[in-house]
Amino acid sequence: MQLIQGSKMIRPSKRVQVFQDSIFGIMSKKANEHNAINLSQGFPDFDGPDFVKEYALEAIKDGKNQYSPFPGIIELRESVSQYLKSYYDLDYCKEGEVSICCGATEGIFLSILSIINPGDEVIVFEPFYDSYISSIQVAGGIPKVVTLNSPDFSFTPEDLENVYSSQVKAIILNNPHNPTGRVFTSSELKIVRDFCLKYDLMAISDEVYEFLTFDKEEHIPLASLEGMQERTLGIYSAGKTFGLTGWKIGWVCAPERLSSGLRKLHQYITFCVSTPMQYALARSLMHLKDYVPTFKEDYQSKRDLFYSGMKEIGFDFKKPEGTYFMMVPIHQITKMSDVDFAYHLIEKKRVAAIPPSAFYLKSREGEKFLRFCFAKKEETLLEALKFLKELQV
Ligand code: PMP
Ligand code: GLN
């Protein structure tokens, strides 16, 4: 197509000009080009459960194929509100406080855009999930970054106090945490709670890996801490819970005033999400008690397999407590930066990982790690380990 020479009009808005391509798209494309084993972008290389897919087929055949109400079908909102009650003793009213959206990604965008005014500051921990920063930028907000302290990726009350100003309006917490695999302790959650109460802040709590906690770790929603439910927007994802990332359905649970704000945006961004898939999920969520234990066991054995393989190769780090990611320190093995080493691995060892400097804004810590996704078949993980083993020599 011919470009219009010299036009000052035919160009994207300033709003989008600040964005870069997402690291997930870049690395998956590169992995495909080199026919590498893709442990970069976070998605399973195996299918989700049959019962969920059967429910979807039934819903389609049953004619559930037109627009749904914009906050989501009431059956799904009811199932969400029931599991949050039974797992965490949280009470969310299905009518006014649960909103169905197009994956957690839309939930994050809606939450941020519906509470942040231009000039407001938002506290974000780094390494962060990349869409937080873009969503804050679209809202005209300013990210105030707290770097998690490696090697254990912890934080202290002082870390939060150091970035506080009277412009701060909200804090974003992701727990269990992508990319570090941390499940924050109840003391760390209390630090966030005390900070929010002290300065009257809102919290955006990204809990998409709520059911991916290992060993004795249990997920604690931020909203379940005293004083937090009325100021928290909790974000969840069916894509993670059922290993069906392409379904792109999530939910935001928040007090009615905040929910009504984000629904106003949602009605003009997507209006509603796929109706038959919502019916399928409404039924599937009723089986969580049977489904989740095996789901966790499967992922825990993948974690153990990949972790012990990586330790044998010579990578020294703590076992992740949750999610399906590992932040693996690379400086013991190479002098290269994360980006150079990631490209080297794809090209020379046919294994793709994410260079996590894309998840840092303030510090250069990310250059010392690579993020590997272990949501893969055993054979995929074993093959990747076989290629990585050659690094020892
Ligand atoms: N938050 C985090 C921390 C994630 O890792 C992801 C991953 N994909 C998302 C949000 C987005 O979830 P979804 O695919 O449901 O939009
Ligand atoms: N959440 C996934 C990850 O962390 C990727 C999601 C995406 O590609 N947008 O890798």
Side-chain angles (χ1 to χ4, degrees):
M1 190 181 297
Q2 252 202 323
L3 292 175
I4 304 172
Q5 295 300 326
S7 170
K8 289 202 172 66
M9 304 298 279
I10 318 280
R11 57 174 59 178
S13 67
K14 288 189 189 131
R15 192 179 297 118
V16 298
Q17 280 170 18
V18 297
F19 294 151
Q20 294 174 356
D21 290 348
S22 150
I23 192 69
F24 306 119
I26 295 175
M27 297 316 288
S28 275
K29 183 162 175 270
K30 185 95 184 151
N32 290 337
E33 280 164 13
H34 288 267
N35 198 22
I37 300 170
N38 191 358
L39 307 188
S40 65
Q41 192 176 20
F43 62 88
D45 70 346
F46 47 91
D47 211 356
D50 285 341
F51 73 95
V52 185
K53 294 188 291 180
E54 290 300 328
Y55 284 152
L57 293 174
E58 280 174 32
I60 291 171
K61 286 189 191 141
D62 201 26
K64 309 279 197 225
N65 297 311
Q66 307 303 336
Y67 293 134
S68 77
F70 70 89
I73 60 166
I74 196 69
E75 291 86 343
L76 177 52
R77 288 187 273 146
E78 172 148 27
S79 289
V80 168
S81 122
Q82 275 175 8
Y83 93 75
L84 291 172
K85 177 73 185 167
S86 85
Y87 275 86
Y88 313 120
D89 201 22
L90 280 170
D91 286 297
Y92 282 105
C93 155
K94 62 182 182 226
E95 271 92 16
E97 298 183 326
V98 177
S99 308
I100 310 302
C101 51
C102 182
T105 309
E106 193 203 350
I108 292 162
F109 190 72
L110 297 176
S111 300
I112 293 174
L113 242 80
S114 62
I115 62 170
I116 295 305
N117 290 311
D120 287 344
E121 295 177 348
V122 185
I123 297 181
V124 181
F125 292 96
E126 70 177 7
F128 43 70
Y129 184 58
D130 65 349
S131 84
Y132 302 159
I133 303 297
S134 316
S135 304
I136 293 169
Q137 284 170 337
V138 172
I142 300 156
K144 296 297 288 278
V145 177
V146 173
T147 308
L148 291 174
N149 305 307
S150 59
D152 56 349
F153 300 107
S154 58
F155 61 93
T156 62
E158 294 70 45
D159 293 331
L160 296 181
E161 293 291 345
N162 287 343
V163 295
Y164 181 74
S165 87
S166 58
Q167 301 306 111
V168 171
K169 192 153 179 202
I171 180 164
I172 305 181
L173 183 74
N174 171 214
N175 185 40
H177 186 255
N178 173 10
T180 64
R182 282 252 17 231
V183 174
F184 293 111
T185 61
S186 57
S187 323
E188 285 169 315
L189 297 181
K190 281 188 191 127
I191 294 176
V192 175
R193 190 268 311 268
D194 293 347
F195 187 73
C196 287
L197 296 190
K198 179 173 174 190
Y199 294 115
D200 194 20
L201 305 179
M202 284 180 275
I204 295 173
S205 190
D206 178 345
E207 301 178 16
V208 298
Y209 300 103
E210 63 186 316
F211 294 117
L212 281 173
T213 56
F214 306 127
D215 307 316
K216 294 211 162 46
E217 297 292 342
E218 291 287 339
H219 177 60
I220 307 173
L222 191 60
S224 68
L225 276 73
E226 207 185 329
M228 285 309 286
Q229 193 171 350
E230 55 263 42
R231 57 181 70 245
T232 299
L233 299 110
I235 299 170
Y236 303 88
S237 168
K240 310 293 173 196
T241 295
F242 293 109
L244 294 160
T245 59
W247 280 34
K248 293 299 297 183
I249 297 188
W251 36 94
V252 184
C253 301
E256 190 150 0
R257 194 142 74 119
L258 299 180
S259 294
S260 104
L262 70 88
R263 285 177 183 186
K264 289 198 175 102
L265 262 178
H266 170 69
Q267 65 181 340
Y268 292 122
I269 293 178
T270 52
F271 188 79
C272 64
V273 309
S274 167
T275 304
M277 300 319 204
Q278 290 189 63
Y279 277 99
L281 290 173
R283 296 173 73 185
S284 303
L285 285 173
M286 292 176 188
H287 302 290
L288 281 180
K289 293 273 180 209
D290 294 328
Y291 164 75
V292 167
T294 331
F295 171 70
K296 276 187 188 225
E297 266 167 40
D298 285 352
Y299 276 83
Q300 184 162 319
S301 70
K302 290 175 193 307
R303 177 203 60 168
D304 291 345
L305 173 82
F306 195 63
Y307 179 75
S308 54
M310 292 299 269
K311 288 280 274 191
E312 261 171 48
I313 293 170
F315 292 104
D316 189 20
F317 61 108
K318 237 184 109 207
K319 236 185 205 183
E321 298 143 349
T323 76
Y324 42 59
F325 301 110
M326 282 180 199
M327 269 288 260
V328 177
I330 55 170
H331 53 278
Q332 305 138 339
I333 298 255
T334 178
K335 287 204 162 44
M336 284 187 236
S337 73
D338 62 330
V339 176
D340 291 343
F341 195 51
Y343 280 87
H344 169 81
L345 285 191
I346 291 183
E347 284 158 18
K348 301 285 191 282
K349 306 286 172 221
R350 287 195 41 237
V351 177
I354 295 280
S357 50
F359 306 144
Y360 285 81
L361 210 60
K362 192 157 111 180
S363 94
R364 296 182 61 181
E365 280 287 294
E367 291 180 10
K368 300 189 214 152
F369 297 90
L370 282 186
R371 188 198 78 172
F372 290 86
C373 169
F374 58 83
K376 307 292 165 187
K377 292 181 206 136
E378 201 177 302
E379 70 226 49
T380 311
L381 296 174
L382 288 172
E383 203 184 357
L385 286 168
K386 192 174 88 195
F387 291 150
L388 291 171
K389 269 197 181 114
E390 295 162 22
L391 285 168
Q392 276 174 316
V393 284

